C-alpha cells in the first residue's frame, strides 16, 4: 500500500503509516447447531490463509455460550495455526468461576483474552447488575486475569461514541484508563461508520496519556436492517447517508452484499490512508465480504497458512 501523507491524522495512530501490509483480526461467534458449526468452519478455512494476527470468539450474555466458546477456541488451537482470543465477561459468574475459566483457557494454550464487562443478562437497555461475588467492573476483570496469568494478553473494548451507560466522554475514558492501568494492552472499538468519530475519539484518548493501540472495529452490513437494529441498540449511530445506500434493497440480497462490501471497503481504505494499520472485523461468521475487503486492503492469501 502506498504511503499517503496526511499530517492531520498521521500522528494519531501510534506513528504508524499505511506503508505496509495492514494487520487484521477477525471475530467469530460460537455456533448453536451443526449447520452453524459447518458454516463457521467453512468461514475459518476461507479466512485463515489471510494470516490474521488473531481470531476472537464471543461469549454470550450471562455466560450463555460459555462451553461453546471454549469448544470453538479449543478446536481452533488443535486444528489450525491461528491464534485464538477468548472473550470473557463479568456477567453471571462469581470470581471463582471466572478464575477457573481463565485457568482452563491457560491450560489448553490460550494466551489472549478479550476482557469485557458484558451486556446485562436481560439484554442491552436493561439494568446491569453484577454478580454479588463476581468481578464488579471490567478493569477488575483485567486485573484478575493478569494476576493469575501474567503471560495472557488482555484486549478490551473502546467506544468512539462512548458507552451508552457512561455519564459522559470523560467518564468513559476514565474507564478505559482504568483497564489500561490494570494491564490491558489493546482496545478494540465498537463498530462505527463515521471515521471522524474514530479520529476524534483517538485524540481524546491520546490526550489522556493512553497509548495502547485503539483498533477500529469494522462490520460489513450483510443484512442492513437487522445489523442496524443490533448496532443502534449498542449505541452506534448509523448516518443517514449510510442508510441511504441500502434503500430499496430489502429484497435484493445480492446487490445489498455488493453495496455492503463497497461501503466497508471504502471506510477501511480511508482509515488506512490516514495512517491506520490495524483492523478488527466483526465477521458475523461469514467470509465473503471480509475476504473481499481484505483483498482491497492489499492482503493476499498465504497458501502456507491454512486451517485444517
Amino acid at each position: 500500500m502506498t504511503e499517503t501523507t496526511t499530517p492531520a491524522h498521521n500522528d494519531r495512530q501510534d506513528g504508524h503509516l499505511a506503508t505496509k501490509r495492514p494487520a487484521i483480526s477477525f471475530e467469530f461467534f460460537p455456533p448453536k447447531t451443526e449447520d452453524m458449526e459447518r458454516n463457521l468452519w467453512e468461514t475459518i478455512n476461507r479466512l485463515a490463509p489471510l494470516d490474521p494476527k488473531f481470531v476472537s470468539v464471543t461469549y454470550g450474555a450471562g455466560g450463555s455460550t460459555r462451553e461453546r466458546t471454549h469448544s470453538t477456541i479449543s478446536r481452533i488451537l488443535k486444528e489450525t495455526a491461528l491464534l485464538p482470543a477468548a472473550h470473557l465477561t463479568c456477567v453471571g459468574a462469581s470470581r471463582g468461576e471466572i478464575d477457573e475459566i481463565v485457568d482452563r483457557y491457560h491450560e489448553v494454550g490460550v494466551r489472549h483474552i478479550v476482557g469485557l464487562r458484558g451486556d446485562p443478562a436481560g439484554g442491552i437497555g436493561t439494568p446491569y447488575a453484577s454478580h454479588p461475588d463476581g468481578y464488579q467492573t471490567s478493569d477488575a476483570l483485567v486485573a484478575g486475569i493478569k494476576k493469575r496469568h501474567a503471560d495472557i494478553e488482555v484486549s478490551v473494548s473502546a467506544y468512539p461514541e462512548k458507552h451508552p451507560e457512561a455519564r459522559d466522554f470523560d467518564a468513559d475514558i476514565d474507564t478505559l484508563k482504568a483497564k489500561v492501568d490494570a494491564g490491558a494492552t489493546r482496545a478494540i472499538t465498537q463498530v462505527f461508520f463515521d471515521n471522524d468519530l474514530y479520529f476524534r475519539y483517538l485524540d481524546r484518548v491520546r490526550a489522556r496519556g493512553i497509548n495502547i493501540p485503539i483498533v477500529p472495529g469494522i462490520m460489513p452490513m450483510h443484512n442492513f436492517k437487522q445489523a442496524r437494529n443490533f448496532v443502534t441498540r449498542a449505541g452506534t449511530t448509523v448516518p443517514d447517508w449510510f442508510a441511504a445506500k441500502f434503500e430499496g434493497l430489502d429484497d435484493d440480497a445480492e446487490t445489498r452484499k455488493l453495496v455492503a462490501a463497497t461501503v466497508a471497503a471504502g471506510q477501511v481504505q480511508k482509515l488506512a490512508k490516514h495512517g491506520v494499520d490495524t483492523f478488527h472485523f466483526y465477521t458475523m461468521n461469514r467470509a465473503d465480504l471480509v475476504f473481499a475487503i481484505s483483498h482491497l486492503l492489499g492482503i493476499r492469501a498465504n497458501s502456507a497458512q491454512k486451517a485444517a
Side-chain angles (χ1 to χ4, degrees):
M1 183 168 295
T2 57
E3 178 177 334
T4 301
T5 302
T6 311
H9 291 323
N10 278 347
D11 60 348
R12 299 181 179 185
Q13 182 63 22
D14 307 316
H16 294 155
L17 302 183
T19 56
K20 60 181 182 179
R21 178 192 192 274
I24 55 175
S25 54
F26 304 129
E27 179 178 292
F28 305 120
F29 60 84
K32 295 179 180 178
T33 66
E34 286 187 13
D35 283 347
M36 291 175 73
E37 174 102 4
R38 188 161 44 251
N39 177 71
L40 170 61
W41 282 89
E42 287 173 358
T43 297
I44 290 173
N45 280 324
R46 176 73 166 142
L47 296 178
L50 297 179
D51 196 20
K53 188 176 181 68
F54 64 90
V55 297
S56 68
V57 181
T58 63
Y59 188 85
S64 59
T65 64
R66 182 183 303 168
E67 289 306 318
R68 285 185 277 124
T69 300
H70 192 279
S71 174
T72 302
I73 289 283
S74 296
R75 186 173 171 188
I76 289 171
L77 276 167
K78 289 174 184 174
E79 299 183 17
T80 81
L82 299 171
L83 291 175
H87 284 225
L88 187 61
T89 74
C90 304
V91 180
S94 68
R95 280 177 178 255
E97 289 175 297
I98 295 294
D99 290 347
E100 284 181 17
I101 293 167
V102 173
D103 289 346
R104 279 181 68 196
Y105 277 132
H106 192 270
E107 187 177 340
V108 299
V110 172
R111 295 296 182 271
H112 187 177
I113 287 176
V114 181
L116 308 165
R117 188 203 71 173
D119 295 328
I124 296 172
T126 63
Y128 178 82
S130 56
H131 190 287
D133 298 319
Y135 288 104
Q136 303 299 301
T137 58
S138 49
D139 59 288
L141 175 63
V142 174
I145 294 168
K146 296 298 289 185
K147 182 178 180 182
R148 294 191 75 77
H149 298 288
D151 59 337
I152 290 181
E153 178 182 12
V154 183
S155 294
V156 294
S157 56
Y159 298 86
E161 299 182 71
K162 88 172 181 60
H163 191 282
E165 296 174 29
R167 182 183 69 252
D168 53 35
F169 254 116
D170 285 339
D172 192 52
I173 293 174
D174 285 343
T175 299
L176 178 60
K177 182 70 163 59
K179 292 187 282 192
V180 174
D181 291 345
T185 55
R186 176 192 294 100
I188 301 167
T189 75
Q190 177 73 287
V191 62
F192 60 92
F193 301 108
D194 180 345
N195 288 349
D196 285 342
L197 291 171
Y198 171 78
F199 288 119
R200 285 199 294 268
Y201 180 72
L202 202 58
D203 282 344
R204 288 174 181 263
V205 167
R206 297 297 182 239
R208 287 293 303 276
I210 300 170
N211 295 313
I212 65 169
I214 309 294
V215 180
I218 305 296
M219 179 188 286
M221 305 284 265
H222 296 87
N223 183 324
F224 177 74
K225 214 174 235 185
Q226 186 181 69
R228 178 171 59 180
N229 289 339
F230 173 75
V231 301
T232 52
R233 286 203 311 274
T236 294
T237 299
V238 178
D240 290 342
W241 63 262
F242 187 97
K245 293 185 182 298
F246 293 89
E247 285 178 2
L249 297 179
D250 289 356
D251 300 318
D252 187 348
E254 285 304 308
T255 304
R256 199 169 62 229
K257 189 163 71 170
L258 290 171
V259 171
T262 301
V263 172
Q267 180 182 14
V268 298
Q269 287 178 313
K270 288 171 186 172
L271 287 167
K273 285 178 181 177
H274 289 87
V276 179
D277 60 4
T278 309
F279 300 91
H280 185 74
F281 291 102
Y282 299 108
T283 70
M284 306 307 290
N285 287 11
R286 294 182 60 166
D288 47 2
L289 299 193
V290 172
F291 192 94
I293 294 162
S294 298
H295 183 88
L296 292 171
L297 273 174
I299 297 168
R300 300 294 181 264
N302 174 2
S303 59
Q305 176 76 17
K306 289 185 178 179

